[in-house]
Amino acid sequence: CMVDAIIISDDCGRILGGNEHALKMFKWTKNQITGQPLTILMPEPYASHHDAYLFRFQKHKKNVINSDKRYLKAKRKDG
């Protein structure tokens, strides 16, 4: 059985929470990660480009991702 790591954010890119698997995977506690920017979970160059993606999303209210599934590189708390 595989469990997905799920992170929930608002449309400003702030983390609202995550499931137990995500917290364990990224080595954050719920209190530590809540309110942080999503970019703390992203390595470069993704982190640097994320604000521009959010700006386009907020301006056009349209997701530019054309897939139900997306595989991303991520960064744990310890780097």
Side-chain angles (χ1 to χ4, degrees):
C1 175
M2 179 181 250
V3 179
D4 290 331
I6 299 171
I7 298 291
I8 301 167
S9 71
D10 63 16
D11 59 354
C12 293
R14 294 277 171 201
I15 297 171
L16 300 175
N19 68 358
E20 185 177 330
H21 189 72
L23 297 174
K24 190 175 191 181
M25 180 190 310
F26 293 118
K27 300 188 177 196
W28 290 89
T29 67
K30 183 178 178 180
N31 288 338
Q32 291 172 326
I33 203 167
T34 302
Q36 296 289 334
L38 275 170
T39 53
I40 65 167
L41 302 176
M42 299 176 191
E44 290 299 338
Y46 309 108
S48 296
H49 295 114
H50 192 256
D51 287 345
Y53 168 77
L54 275 178
F55 177 77
R56 283 192 310 273
F57 173 76
Q58 291 166 345
K59 184 177 179 181
H60 302 290
K61 297 295 183 201
K62 182 179 176 187
N63 190 343
V64 295
I65 299 169
N66 296 320
S67 170
D68 291 339
K69 293 182 181 180
R70 204 164 173 213
Y71 298 94
L72 304 170
K73 291 185 179 187
K75 184 172 75 173
R76 292 188 314 217
K77 183 179 178 183
D78 62 4

